[in-house]
Amino acid sequence: MPTPVFRNSHSAPAPKSGRRPRLHCVVEPSRQLSVVQLLITATVVAALLLMPLPWLLRLLLACLAILLSLRERAQLTKSRGLLLARDGSLFWREQGAAEEQEIHLSGEQVLWPWLVILKGRVCETGERFSLVLGRDSVSGDDWHYLHGMLRW
């Protein structure tokens, strides 16, 4: 899937100061994705413990799977804030942060009916940016608008 571009052939007037941005999503961590991750982790740990390997190796691999799952869980739970799009740019403001960060999407983006994964870089610092959104992370209208915007 090519990297989406937010500028399209429809010339929309630039929003005036004080007007609502074209996209204004309040993002919350997805409970559905958390449940799916928990089920996958439980399945992997059970499969590792049932493998015909020495018990110490099985235990170490199960601990590694749990640690990796906890790291991913932390990534899911920190996705709380505002996702904004205006003037052809995408912005992210974490909950509690004073300023928005402009995000430049790069690489492959995941755009499924129940999952969106945005990958890119923060324009000012060059840090990597990743945001995982489940269908229950944003309101229904925002979900449809976000899908439409990313398809362009």
Side-chain angles (χ1 to χ4, degrees):
M1 176 187 290
T3 303
V5 178
F6 292 108
R7 291 171 179 79
N8 59 25
S9 60
H10 306 298
S11 59
K16 297 175 184 172
S17 61
R19 284 184 60 187
R20 183 179 168 156
R22 299 203 69 180
L23 175 69
H24 187 270
C25 291
V26 176
V27 178
E28 296 289 331
S30 172
R31 290 183 182 179
Q32 292 173 349
L33 292 179
S34 295
V35 169
V36 168
Q37 182 194 19
L38 179 65
L39 292 174
I40 290 171
T41 302
T43 304
V44 167
V45 168
L48 286 171
L49 293 177
L50 294 174
M51 291 182 81
L53 296 171
W55 69 270
L56 184 58
L57 182 58
R58 286 185 284 175
L59 189 61
L60 287 174
L61 289 173
C63 288
L64 179 63
I66 291 170
L67 287 174
L68 290 173
S69 177
L70 289 174
R71 188 182 94 189
E72 292 302 316
R73 172 81 176 131
Q75 178 71 22
L76 277 178
T77 57
K78 84 173 196 179
S79 60
R80 184 183 306 264
L82 285 174
L83 186 62
L84 309 164
R86 64 176 174 267
D87 300 332
S89 298
L90 188 66
F91 297 89
W92 171 250
R93 181 176 14 173
E94 283 190 47
Q95 186 177 20
E99 294 185 15
E100 302 164 353
Q101 299 175 327
E102 185 177 357
I103 305 301
H104 173 71
L105 295 180
S106 58
E108 294 290 322
Q109 311 302 316
V110 175
L111 186 59
W112 293 340
W114 56 276
L115 177 72
V116 171
I117 301 176
L118 302 175
K119 294 182 181 183
R121 296 216 174 258
V122 177
C123 291
E124 293 82 22
T125 62
E127 294 176 2
R128 284 188 292 176
F129 175 82
S130 178
L131 184 63
V132 179
L133 303 173
R135 183 147 186 139
D136 62 337
S137 294
V138 298
S139 72
D141 290 339
D142 288 340
W143 182 261
H144 293 294
Y145 190 86
L146 178 65
H147 263 254
M149 184 183 72
L150 291 173
R151 283 192 194 120
W152 288 100

